[in-house]
Amino acid sequence: MQMASTPTTGDRFRQLIRSLTGISLPPSKVQMIDQRLRRRVVEYGLPDTEAYLEKLLAGELPQDELPRVIDLITTNTTSFFRESEHFDFLTGHILPDRLAKARAEGRKRFKLWSAASSEGAEAFTAAMVLEEARRKGAGFDYAILGTDISARMLERATAAIYADEQLTTVPRDLVTRYFLRADDPSMAGKARIVPELRARTRFRHLNLMDKSYAVDRDVDVIFLRNVLIYFDATDKEQVVDRLAGHIAKGGYLLVGHAESMIVRHPLLRQVKPTIFQKC
Ligand SMILES: C[S@@+](CC[C@H](N)C(=O)[O-])C[C@H]1O[C@@H](n2cnc3c(N)ncnc32)[C@H](O)[C@@H]1O
């Protein structure tokens, strides 16, 4: 009979992160964990990551240490107009489709949820293209919700200040229209999203592993991009199932290009490789 081996500190840490965030960290990620936690190890004057993790797991570090670890462990890569065909589909197809239905039902507000928003580039890209559609005469109102597990990313998203290098993927006319510069030296090389778009875009903490989400159940479109890849099969399925419950009938779910095969749900019909519509 094979005896179960005692879990190592690393195993227990990976298990903790999985249970808190859904993020699967295979043992091959040990070097990445080491690198990302280095600052914390130094901050506590500990000899190595192992010693730091032992203290963390024993509950010997301050209470706000765990959210910091989650901030460091999550991969927050994002950009404006990432997978830009989604934004073409949003204004070219989803918006007219949903507005026609909304008018028939006497509703006016278009609701979009960026369900792993990172520092807000996805939500504000949507805000820019929706605002452009409004400028061109489509009479509608919209509200955008961005949620994420990382407190640090949510702080950045709420501040809505981006470095010039991050604006290289934004068309020039949209940079002029939707980003503001200030003379303040602290804003050198940076620009801030205009108040009109910020007023329509809220960010808040939401862990996709939670059993239920305090979000409206008639959302027109959910962007769930480049986050399912970090979860294991059961969690992926459960997250999609919970989110499906928040999409209005006829509304849409968009996932990242690496994630199209993950979505299998009786109520979600695939209309394009990464785009699903709720029946
Ligand atoms: C790679 S970014 C993707 C950002 C954006 N959706 C995009 O495609 O550009 C993944 C985001 O998912 C967030 N995340 C990871 N696990 C999460 C969870 N359990 N609940 C909510 N957000 C989570 C991370 O903090 C990170 O900001």
Side-chain angles (χ1 to χ4, degrees), residues 78-79 103 109 156 201 244:
T78 188
S79 55
R103 280 192 197 104
R109 178 171 280 189
R156 286 202 205 171
T201 313

Side-chain angles (χ1 to χ4, degrees), residues 21 23 74-79 82 115-118 122 148-150 153 206-209 225-227 230-231:
T21 68
I23 298 171
T74 52
T75 298
N76 311 112
T77 312
T78 188
S79 55
R82 183 178 195 180
S117 59
S118 186
E122 182 174 271
D148 202 280
I149 198 173
S150 163
M153 288 303 122
L206 185 145
N207 184 348
L208 290 167
M209 290 303 121
R225 306 189 312 162
N226 306 302
V227 63
Y230 300 107
F231 302 156

Side-chain angles (χ1 to χ4, degrees), residues 57-78:
L57 291 163
E60 289 170 13
L61 298 179
Q63 268 204 329
D64 64 351
E65 193 60 21
L66 216 43
R68 282 171 187 265
V69 171
I70 292 175
D71 275 346
L72 294 170
I73 289 300
T74 52
T75 298
N76 311 112
T77 312
T78 188

